[in-house]
Amino acid sequence: MKIETITKSEFDQIPGIRQIICHPYSQKFARLDLGEVLGYYGLSWRSKLVELSME
């Protein structure tokens, strides 16, 4: 499993069915990669204060 920050334009290129957490006024975007079999999914959230963390 790998998670990385992406831009809004990269998030918009992820098919809607794979945007599993999506907020209409998002300010942060990420891609969750679950490997070759399951693929990747988009995440977005509104807060400018909440950052990605793998801990």
Side-chain angles (χ1 to χ4, degrees):
M1 179 173 82
K2 180 179 168 186
I3 189 165
E4 63 183 336
T5 302
I6 60 175
T7 65
K8 180 179 183 340
S9 62
E10 290 172 311
F11 180 81
D12 289 340
Q13 293 176 12
I14 296 172
I17 193 84
R18 292 190 169 271
Q19 295 177 4
I20 56 173
I21 299 177
C22 185
H23 189 279
Y25 303 106
S26 296
Q27 297 175 355
K28 299 280 186 163
F29 305 90
R31 178 174 40 224
L32 175 64
D33 187 343
L34 297 177
E36 190 175 320
V37 175
L38 297 175
Y40 62 90
Y41 298 87
L43 312 170
S44 69
W45 59 100
R46 187 172 178 192
S47 177
K48 288 184 178 180
L49 302 175
V50 177
E51 296 290 338
L52 289 178
S53 174
M54 289 298 291
E55 295 182 41

